[in-house]
Structure formats: C-alpha cells, structure tokens
Amino acid sequence: MEIDLPNERGPVLVSHEYIIDPHNAKAFLQAVHELRRVRRRAGAMSWAVYEDIERPGLFIETFLMGSWIEHLRQQERHTMNDLLLQSRVLAFHQGTTSPAIRYLVAPV
C-alpha cells in the first residue's frame, strides 16, 4: 500500500466492506467476529461490524488504530492461523472485486 501519510497521523479508522449472500450472513458473522480478537491483538483500539439497513448483505467491519504506523505494523503481525481466518472471512464475499477498504484519518 503506497499512501503518503506521516507515520504519526492518527487515529486511523479502517473499514472493510463485504457483500454477503443473506443466506450466509449468520456463518459470515461468526467468522468475522473471530477477526475481532486478531485485530485487537494486533493493536486495534476498537472493533465493530455493521450491516447496511438499505442494502441487506452489505457488512462493514471497522477497527480503529492509534496511528498510521500502527496500522502498517499491524499488517506484519499475522500468524498463519490469522491468515487462514482472513481467508475464511473473504470466502463469504460475493463481490466481483475484493472488499472495498477505506482508511479515514482524524484531521490535524
């Protein structure tokens, strides 16, 4: 990821948008809730998942990192089990592209 942002900027809200078949929502939610432990262990200050009330099946996972550098370091802290869990969550995604990821940083 090539984003020109000072390392100390933060906090950073990261969101992942998953498009899920509503019939698979329960299984998806069980899997994505396991990511909470992974995100928190890697430094996330908070974590949540939401469903868009106007677009059933659109789920948004969010987590808050203290700074941009903490987010970058988080990407390096994954175990093999973490990667398997992420793959399991991604397998539920029905979009034609990868889940949309957004990075929102608090204004200076």
Side-chain angles (χ1 to χ4, degrees), residues 12-16 18 28-41 43-50 59-65 74 85-86 89:
V12 179
L13 179 67
V14 181
S15 71
H16 294 240
Y18 303 97
F28 166 76
L29 287 169
Q30 288 174 337
V32 80
H33 273 89
E34 292 180 44
L35 277 180
R36 177 184 188 276
R37 172 187 51 79
V38 172
R39 306 287 194 210
R40 296 289 296 212
R41 188 185 72 237
M45 300 182 323
S46 64
W47 179 93
V49 64
Y50 303 92
F59 289 88
I60 301 176
E61 175 201 11
T62 64
F63 54 97
L64 186 66
M65 301 300 295
Q74 178 191 43
L85 175 57
Q86 288 177 352
V89 169

Coordinates of all heavy atoms in Angstrom, one line a residue, residues 12-16 18 28-41 43-50 59-65 74 85-86 89:
V12 N -6.6 6.3 13.0 CA -7.0 5.8 11.7 C -8.1 4.8 11.8 O -8.0 3.8 12.5 CB -5.8 5.2 11.0 CG1 -6.2 4.7 9.6 CG2 -4.6 6.2 10.9
L13 N -9.2 5.1 11.2 CA -10.3 4.2 11.1 C -10.2 3.4 9.8 O -10.2 4.0 8.8 CB -11.7 4.9 11.2 CG -12.9 4.0 11.1 CD1 -13.0 3.2 12.4 CD2 -14.2 4.9 11.0
V14 N -10.2 2.1 9.9 CA -10.1 1.2 8.8 C -11.4 0.5 8.6 O -12.0 0.0 9.6 CB -8.9 0.2 8.9 CG1 -8.8 -0.7 7.7 CG2 -7.6 0.9 9.3
S15 N -11.9 0.5 7.4 CA -13.2 -0.3 7.1 C -13.0 -1.2 6.0 O -12.3 -0.9 5.0 CB -14.3 0.7 6.9 OG -14.2 1.3 5.7
H16 N -13.6 -2.4 6.1 CA -13.7 -3.4 5.0 C -15.1 -3.6 4.7 O -15.9 -3.9 5.6 CB -13.0 -4.7 5.5 CG -11.6 -4.6 5.7 ND1 -10.6 -5.4 5.1 CD2 -10.8 -3.9 6.6 CE1 -9.4 -5.1 5.5 NE2 -9.5 -4.2 6.5
Y18 N -17.9 -5.9 2.9 CA -18.1 -7.3 2.4 C -19.5 -7.3 1.9 O -20.5 -6.9 2.5 CB -18.0 -8.3 3.5 CG -16.6 -8.3 4.2 CD1 -16.5 -7.6 5.4 CD2 -15.6 -9.0 3.7 CE1 -15.2 -7.6 6.1 CE2 -14.3 -9.0 4.3 CZ -14.2 -8.4 5.5 OH -13.0 -8.4 6.2
F28 N -21.1 -16.0 8.2 CA -20.2 -14.9 8.0 C -19.9 -14.2 9.3 O -18.8 -13.9 9.7 CB -20.7 -13.9 6.9 CG -19.9 -12.6 6.9 CD1 -18.6 -12.6 6.3 CD2 -20.4 -11.5 7.5 CE1 -17.9 -11.4 6.4 CE2 -19.7 -10.3 7.5 CZ -18.5 -10.2 6.9
L29 N -21.0 -13.8 10.0 CA -20.9 -13.1 11.2 C -20.1 -13.8 12.3 O -19.3 -13.3 13.0 CB -22.2 -12.7 11.8 CG -22.9 -11.5 11.0 CD1 -24.4 -11.4 11.4 CD2 -22.1 -10.2 11.1
Q30 N -20.3 -15.1 12.3 CA -19.5 -16.0 13.3 C -18.0 -15.9 12.9 O -17.2 -15.7 13.8 CB -20.0 -17.4 13.2 CG -21.3 -17.6 13.9 CD -21.8 -19.0 13.7 OE1 -21.4 -19.8 12.8 NE2 -22.7 -19.4 14.6
A31 N -17.7 -15.9 11.6 CA -16.3 -15.9 11.2 C -15.7 -14.5 11.4 O -14.6 -14.4 11.9 CB -16.2 -16.3 9.7
V32 N -16.4 -13.5 11.0 CA -15.9 -12.1 11.1 C -15.7 -11.7 12.6 O -14.8 -11.0 12.9 CB -16.7 -11.1 10.3 CG1 -18.0 -10.6 11.0 CG2 -15.8 -9.9 9.9
H33 N -16.6 -12.2 13.4 CA -16.4 -11.9 14.9 C -15.1 -12.5 15.4 O -14.5 -11.9 16.4 CB -17.6 -12.3 15.7 CG -18.7 -11.2 15.7 ND1 -19.7 -11.2 14.8 CD2 -18.8 -10.2 16.6 CE1 -20.4 -10.1 15.1 NE2 -19.9 -9.5 16.1
E34 N -14.6 -13.5 14.8 CA -13.3 -14.1 15.2 C -12.2 -13.1 14.9 O -11.1 -13.1 15.5 CB -13.1 -15.5 14.6 CG -14.0 -16.5 15.2 CD -13.8 -17.9 14.5 OE1 -12.6 -18.3 14.4 OE2 -14.8 -18.5 14.2
L35 N -12.4 -12.3 13.8 CA -11.4 -11.3 13.5 C -11.2 -10.3 14.5 O -10.1 -9.6 14.6 CB -11.7 -10.6 12.1 CG -11.4 -11.4 10.9 CD1 -11.8 -10.5 9.7 CD2 -9.9 -11.7 10.8
R36 N -12.2 -10.0 15.4 CA -12.1 -9.0 16.4 C -10.8 -9.3 17.3 O -10.1 -8.5 17.6 CB -13.3 -9.0 17.3 CG -13.2 -8.1 18.5 CD -14.5 -8.2 19.4 NE -14.5 -7.2 20.4 CZ -13.9 -7.2 21.5 NH1 -13.1 -8.3 21.9 NH2 -13.9 -6.2 22.4
R37 N -10.7 -10.6 17.7 CA -9.5 -11.0 18.5 C -8.2 -10.7 17.8 O -7.3 -10.2 18.4 CB -9.7 -12.5 18.8 CG -8.5 -13.1 19.5 CD -8.6 -14.6 19.7 NE -9.0 -15.3 18.4 CZ -8.1 -15.6 17.4 NH1 -6.8 -15.3 17.6 NH2 -8.5 -16.3 16.4
V38 N -8.2 -11.0 16.5 CA -7.0 -10.8 15.7 C -6.7 -9.3 15.6 O -5.5 -8.9 15.8 CB -7.2 -11.4 14.3 CG1 -6.0 -11.0 13.4 CG2 -7.3 -12.9 14.4
R39 N -7.7 -8.5 15.3 CA -7.5 -7.0 15.2 C -7.0 -6.4 16.5 O -6.1 -5.6 16.5 CB -8.7 -6.4 14.7 CG -9.3 -6.9 13.4 CD -8.6 -6.6 12.2 NE -9.4 -6.8 11.0 CZ -8.9 -7.2 9.8 NH1 -7.6 -7.3 9.7 NH2 -9.7 -7.4 8.8
R40 N -7.7 -6.8 17.6 CA -7.3 -6.3 18.9 C -5.9 -6.7 19.3 O -5.2 -5.9 19.8 CB -8.4 -6.7 19.9 CG -9.8 -6.2 19.7 CD -9.9 -4.7 19.9 NE -9.7 -4.5 21.3 CZ -10.2 -3.5 22.0 NH1 -11.1 -2.7 21.5 NH2 -9.9 -3.3 23.3
R41 N -5.6 -7.9 19.1 CA -4.2 -8.4 19.4 C -3.2 -7.6 18.7 O -2.1 -7.4 19.2 CB -4.1 -9.9 19.2 CG -2.8 -10.5 19.7 CD -2.6 -11.9 19.4 NE -2.3 -12.1 17.9 CZ -3.0 -12.8 17.1 NH1 -4.1 -13.5 17.5 NH2 -2.7 -12.8 15.8
G43 N -3.3 -4.6 17.9 CA -3.2 -3.2 18.2 C -4.5 -2.3 18.0 O -4.5 -1.1 18.4
A44 N -5.6 -2.9 17.5 CA -6.8 -2.1 17.3 C -7.3 -1.7 18.7 O -7.4 -2.4 19.6 CB -7.8 -2.9 16.5
M45 N -7.7 -0.4 18.7 CA -8.3 0.2 20.0 C -9.8 -0.2 20.1 O -10.3 -0.2 21.2 CB -8.1 1.7 20.0 CG -6.6 2.1 20.0 SD -6.2 3.8 20.0 CE -7.5 4.6 19.1
S46 N -10.4 -0.4 19.0 CA -11.8 -0.8 19.0 C -12.1 -1.6 17.7 O -11.3 -1.5 16.7 CB -12.8 0.4 19.1 OG -12.6 1.3 18.0
W47 N -13.2 -2.3 17.7 CA -13.6 -3.1 16.5 C -15.1 -3.2 16.5 O -15.7 -3.3 17.6 CB -13.0 -4.5 16.7 CG -13.3 -5.4 15.5 CD1 -12.6 -5.6 14.4 CD2 -14.5 -6.2 15.4 NE1 -13.3 -6.5 13.6 CE2 -14.4 -6.9 14.2 CE3 -15.6 -6.5 16.2 CZ2 -15.4 -7.8 13.8 CZ3 -16.6 -7.4 15.8 CH2 -16.5 -8.0 14.6
A48 N -15.7 -3.3 15.3 CA -17.1 -3.5 15.2 C -17.5 -3.9 13.8 O -16.7 -3.8 12.9 CB -17.9 -2.2 15.5
V49 N -18.7 -4.5 13.7 CA -19.2 -4.9 12.3 C -20.6 -4.4 12.3 O -21.4 -4.5 13.3 CB -19.1 -6.4 12.1 CG1 -19.9 -7.2 13.0 CG2 -19.4 -6.7 10.6
Y50 N -21.0 -3.9 11.1 CA -22.3 -3.3 10.9 C -22.9 -3.8 9.6 O -22.2 -4.2 8.7 CB -22.3 -1.8 10.8 CG -21.6 -1.1 11.9 CD1 -20.3 -0.8 12.0 CD2 -22.4 -0.7 13.0 CE1 -19.7 -0.2 13.1 CE2 -21.8 -0.1 14.1 CZ -20.5 0.1 14.1 OH -19.9 0.7 15.2
F59 N -22.0 -5.7 4.7 CA -21.5 -5.7 6.0 C -20.2 -4.9 6.0 O -19.3 -5.0 5.1 CB -21.2 -7.1 6.6 CG -22.4 -7.8 6.9 CD1 -23.0 -8.6 5.9 CD2 -23.0 -7.8 8.1 CE1 -24.2 -9.3 6.1 CE2 -24.2 -8.5 8.4 CZ -24.8 -9.3 7.4
I60 N -20.0 -4.0 7.0 CA -18.8 -3.2 7.1 C -18.1 -3.5 8.4 O -18.7 -3.3 9.5 CB -19.2 -1.7 7.0 CG1 -19.8 -1.4 5.6 CG2 -17.9 -0.9 7.1 CD1 -20.3 0.0 5.4
E61 N -16.9 -4.0 8.3 CA -16.1 -4.2 9.5 C -15.2 -3.0 9.7 O -14.6 -2.5 8.8 CB -15.2 -5.4 9.3 CG -14.2 -5.7 10.4 CD -13.0 -6.5 10.0 OE1 -12.8 -6.8 8.8 OE2 -12.3 -6.9 11.0
T62 N -15.2 -2.5 10.9 CA -14.3 -1.3 11.2 C -13.5 -1.6 12.4 O -13.8 -2.4 13.3 CB -15.2 -0.1 11.5 OG1 -15.9 -0.3 12.7 CG2 -16.1 0.3 10.4
F63 N -12.3 -1.0 12.4 CA -11.4 -1.0 13.6 C -10.6 0.2 13.6 O -10.3 0.8 12.6 CB -10.6 -2.3 13.6 CG -9.7 -2.6 12.4 CD1 -8.4 -2.2 12.3 CD2 -10.3 -3.3 11.3 CE1 -7.6 -2.5 11.2 CE2 -9.5 -3.6 10.2 CZ -8.2 -3.2 10.1
L64 N -10.2 0.6 14.8 CA -9.5 1.9 15.0 C -8.1 1.7 15.5 O -7.9 1.0 16.5 CB -10.3 2.7 16.0 CG -9.8 4.1 16.3 CD1 -10.0 5.0 15.1 CD2 -10.5 4.7 17.5
M65 N -7.2 2.2 14.7 CA -5.8 2.1 15.1 C -5.3 3.5 15.6 O -5.8 4.5 15.1 CB -4.9 1.7 13.9 CG -5.3 0.4 13.3 SD -5.2 -1.0 14.4 CE -3.4 -1.1 14.7
Q74 N 0.6 -3.4 12.0 CA -0.5 -4.5 12.2 C -0.4 -5.5 11.0 O -0.6 -6.6 11.2 CB -1.8 -3.8 12.3 CG -3.0 -4.8 12.4 CD -4.3 -4.2 12.2 OE1 -4.5 -3.4 11.3 NE2 -5.3 -4.6 13.1
L85 N -8.0 -17.5 8.9 CA -9.2 -16.9 9.3 C -9.6 -15.8 8.4 O -10.8 -15.7 7.9 CB -9.1 -16.3 10.8 CG -10.3 -15.6 11.3 CD1 -11.6 -16.4 11.2 CD2 -10.1 -15.0 12.7
Q86 N -8.7 -15.0 8.0 CA -9.0 -13.9 7.0 C -9.5 -14.5 5.7 O -10.4 -14.0 5.1 CB -7.8 -13.0 6.8 CG -7.5 -12.1 8.0 CD -6.2 -11.3 7.8 OE1 -5.5 -11.4 6.8 NE2 -6.0 -10.3 8.7
V89 N -13.1 -15.6 6.1 CA -14.0 -14.5 6.0 C -14.1 -14.0 4.6 O -15.2 -13.8 4.1 CB -13.5 -13.3 6.9 CG1 -14.3 -12.1 6.7 CG2 -13.6 -13.7 8.4

